[in-house]
Amino acid sequence: LDNKSIESYFVRAGLFAQKGDYNKAVKDFDTIIDLDPNKGKAYDHRGYAKIELGDKDGGCQDLNKARELGYMVGNKEGDKLICK
């Protein structure tokens, strides 16, 4: 793994998430955010991983940060249902 390649971390984090290893996925998203604090996609994906781990508050904070940075894939109504 190229420790400076954001894309490499995204690929690996996605694989961890697919396997249900959300703790490792969150760690890779943390690294991405350390490398680029304005990467909305990383906050978005980390938010959903945190929610899967039962950290709804932390996950919703990340989803909100992703939206503040202009990153939106799904619909806002879905976020609102998750993050009431």
Side-chain angles (χ1 to χ4, degrees):
L1 181 70
D2 178 355
N3 64 0
K4 300 281 188 217
S5 170
I6 288 174
E7 191 56 38
S8 294
Y9 281 106
F10 267 117
V11 169
R12 189 170 75 174
L15 293 171
F16 286 141
Q18 283 179 339
K19 292 174 122 184
D21 194 341
Y22 297 106
N23 286 309
K24 287 183 180 177
V26 166
K27 286 181 184 178
D28 277 352
F29 292 128
D30 290 343
T31 300
I32 294 166
I33 291 166
D34 287 344
L35 291 169
D36 183 355
N38 295 311
K39 196 71 166 173
K41 180 179 176 181
Y43 286 98
D44 178 81
H45 290 18
R46 185 177 74 175
Y48 286 112
K50 285 181 176 181
I51 289 168
E52 288 292 334
L53 289 168
D55 180 8
K56 184 176 174 183
D57 291 339
C60 288
Q61 287 175 2
D62 279 351
L63 293 177
N64 288 332
K65 179 68 174 179
R67 304 310 170 251
E68 286 173 22
L69 292 170
Y71 186 82
M72 171 56 85
V73 172
N75 77 43
K76 285 187 177 184
E77 298 308 312
D79 286 357
K80 288 178 187 174
L81 291 173
I82 294 169
C83 299
K84 306 186 202 191

